[in-house]
Amino acid sequence: MLDPQGLYELADDLPELDSVVLIQALTGFVDAGSAIQLSREHLLEEFESRVLATFDLDQLLDYRSRRPPMIFVEDHWESYEQPSLALHLVKDLTGTPFLLLAGPEPDLQWERFIAAVRQLIGRFGVSVTVGLNAIPMAVPHTRPVSMTAHATEQRLLGEHESWLQKVQVPASVGNLLEFRLGEAGLDAMGYAAHVPHYLAQTSYPAAAELLIESVANSTGLVLPTLQLHEAAAEVREEVDKQVADDEQAGRLVTSLEAQYDAFVRGRDSNLLAEPGRNLPSADELGAELERFLAEQTRDSD
């Protein structure tokens, strides 16, 4: 294992912990609907927390690829939004402690960073690590948010059903961390919320709500999500209005609804759709999606 010495700094007066849950919420690779960001902001804003360890981002972050914002006012620089990657100690509604690894995904030194996280897992007695993710999928916003669950051991998944068989995707630090923990015999799992791909670049609180609820259900932590639920209802109402005013967007959503419903009905028999149903092709859906997103971008501008 690579030496993680000097990659992070511990806070003073560290607590003695045992069998705690670690939630990792790293952003920078794929965060459809900003669901990971919304989830970690919800956890840090709604519950008592303190920082236990801070990572040295000068060793981990490529500032040129993800330049932090600065504010210029008239004749001077007023502020700099300094990025932070830290391990937080958080307490749920009942006072039960858990850990939250929050911040940008490292661009550099992945294996050394993972070695550092493994060191912290041992230092604080982590029993299971749970990763948060959100990916764009061909699903309609008018249906319940679905997700893909994965783990180092089947027993961690409970009754979750798989949406995918075999697929090759670009690696991320979060997924590699889960893989490395599994190699070391440590329990780790993750949830990837499915965000409608025509809403992937907007804020989608319904996905964050599902992520937090999934963590709570699998770990026993008490993590209310009322604010996320209310925000999700507001977003749903606004999207419904926009779709109702756009005939082509309405056809896209209708096509996705048919595809989604057929998939759900056919899961027991491993069918992706009802026989004879002419579902839209990937190219057709992609063309509709690009047009819809382009219009939304012009409206925002």
Side-chain angles (χ1 to χ4, degrees):
M1 186 169 67
L2 296 176
D3 183 7
Q5 184 176 358
L7 201 56
Y8 64 89
E9 181 178 351
L10 292 171
D12 297 329
D13 189 25
L14 294 174
E16 292 297 326
L17 302 172
D18 184 47
S19 297
V20 295
V21 174
L22 167 61
I23 302 172
Q24 65 91 355
L26 303 174
T27 52
F29 173 51
V30 176
D31 186 15
S34 299
I36 305 173
Q37 181 177 341
L38 290 172
S39 297
R40 74 186 187 200
E41 288 176 352
H42 175 76
L43 293 173
L44 292 174
E45 292 172 1
E46 293 299 311
F47 305 104
E48 178 186 347
S49 68
R50 57 170 289 207
V51 173
L52 298 185
T54 304
F55 284 86
D56 182 3
L57 280 181
D58 275 353
Q59 300 186 56
L60 299 173
L61 198 65
D62 180 359
Y63 291 95
R64 293 180 300 176
S65 65
R66 285 186 284 173
R67 298 178 184 270
M70 297 181 66
I71 301 297
F72 182 84
V73 178
E74 295 183 353
D75 58 0
H76 67 281
W77 293 106
E78 184 172 85
S79 65
Y80 168 61
E81 191 174 311
Q82 184 169 346
S84 172
L85 175 54
L87 183 68
H88 303 258
L89 173 63
V90 190
K91 293 184 178 180
D92 74 355
L93 198 62
T94 66
T96 300
F98 65 95
L99 300 176
L100 174 65
L101 180 61
E105 176 193 46
D107 297 305
L108 310 170
Q109 303 189 50
W110 280 16
E111 296 289 2
R112 189 161 171 249
F113 170 75
I114 289 173
V117 175
R118 282 187 56 186
Q119 194 173 76
L120 292 169
I121 285 174
R123 169 65 177 80
F124 294 112
V126 171
S127 59
V128 61
T129 300
V130 186
L132 305 184
N133 204 350
I135 55 179
M137 292 279 280
V139 293
H141 73 281
T142 54
R143 298 294 184 265
V145 181
S146 57
M147 70 178 179
T148 297
H150 43 85
T152 55
E153 295 285 346
Q154 179 66 35
R155 59 179 171 78
L156 298 172
L157 294 177
E159 298 181 354
H160 288 289
E161 295 183 73
S162 175
W163 279 74
L164 302 171
Q165 293 301 314
K166 183 177 181 179
V167 60
Q168 178 176 305
V169 299
S172 68
V173 169
N175 291 335
L176 182 58
L177 173 62
E178 180 181 318
F179 180 71
R180 292 289 187 238
L181 292 178
E183 289 182 327
L186 300 173
D187 285 345
M189 60 188 303
Y191 295 110
H194 303 161
V195 176
H197 51 353
Y198 52 91
L199 299 176
Q201 298 183 31
T202 67
S203 179
Y204 199 62
E209 180 185 8
L210 177 62
L211 289 176
I212 298 297
E213 289 178 345
S214 299
V215 172
N217 291 336
S218 62
T219 64
L221 294 172
V222 181
L223 306 171
T225 57
L226 179 59
Q227 290 193 354
L228 289 172
H229 182 77
E230 292 175 345
E234 294 178 1
V235 170
R236 167 66 187 271
E237 182 178 358
E238 179 62 29
V239 173
D240 283 344
K241 290 179 180 178
Q242 293 183 20
V243 171
D245 293 338
D246 189 314
E247 182 178 349
Q248 289 182 305
R251 289 202 300 269
L252 169 63
V253 172
T254 298
S255 297
L256 291 174
E257 288 174 338
Q259 183 175 356
Y260 179 95
D261 293 344
F263 176 80
V264 171
R265 286 193 298 269
R267 292 187 74 174
D268 291 340
S269 56
N270 291 324
L271 296 178
L272 294 180
E274 292 179 335
R277 179 180 291 275
N278 294 320
L279 298 180
S281 68
D283 289 341
E284 291 170 338
L285 289 174
E288 289 285 358
L289 168 64
E290 290 175 0
R291 186 205 60 77
F292 181 61
L293 289 177
E295 288 194 357
Q296 298 309 306
T297 301
R298 287 197 298 270
D299 290 344
S300 299
D301 294 341

